[in-house]
C-alpha cells in the first residue's frame, strides 16, 4: 500500500520514467500507470528462493528477469528460472 501515491505520480509526471523495478515478491507481476500521455511500467520480480517443496495450486518458480535496452527502449524482459 502506498500512502503517498499522489506525490509519486506527480514526480513521475515531470520525468521520463519508463520502467520501475521492485523485488521481494513471490511471483512476477506487471502493471502500467498512464498519466497525461506518459506510461510507466512497474514490474515486481519473482523471489530468488530455494527449491519449491509445496507444488500445490500456485507454482511460483525462483528466478530473475533479464532486461535488454536497445536504442533507448527497454524490452519486456525474459524470466530466467533458477533450479
Amino acid at each position: 500500500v502506498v500512502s503517498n501515491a499522489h506525490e509519486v505520480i506527480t514526480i513521475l509526471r515531470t520525468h521520463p520514467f519508463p520502467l520501475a523495478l521492485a523485488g521481494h515478491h513471490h511471483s512476477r507481476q506487471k502493471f502500467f500507470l498512464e498519466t497525461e500521455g506518459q506510461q510507466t511500467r512497474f514490474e515486481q520480480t519473482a523471489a530468488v528462493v530455494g527449491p519449491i517443496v509445496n507444488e500445490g495450486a500456485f507454482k511460483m518458480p525462483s528466478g530473475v528477469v533479464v532486461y535488454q535496452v536497445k536504442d533507448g527502449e527497454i524490452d519486456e524482459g525474459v524470466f530466467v528460472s533458477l533450479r
Side-chain angles (χ1 to χ4, degrees):
V1 176
V2 177
S3 61
N4 64 339
H6 178 71
E7 288 139 10
V8 172
I9 291 169
T10 299
I11 292 168
L12 291 177
R13 198 178 292 153
T14 60
H15 301 293
F17 203 121
L19 178 63
L21 300 173
H24 196 78
H25 200 271
H26 293 279
S27 61
R28 186 177 180 195
Q29 295 179 336
K30 187 186 305 190
F31 73 93
F32 296 88
L33 173 68
E34 293 187 33
T35 58
E36 296 179 12
Q38 180 173 323
Q39 185 180 69
T40 300
R41 185 172 88 206
F42 290 82
E43 295 217 16
Q44 279 285 92
T45 60
V48 178
V49 296
I52 299 171
V53 176
N54 180 3
E55 293 193 18
F58 298 104
K59 295 180 182 178
M60 295 179 270
S62 175
V64 297
V65 178
V66 178
Y67 299 91
Q68 293 187 9
V69 180
K70 184 175 181 181
D71 298 325
E73 296 292 321
I74 305 166
D75 72 3
E76 292 298 313
V78 175
F79 181 77
V80 178
S81 180
L82 303 175
R83 296 178 191 251

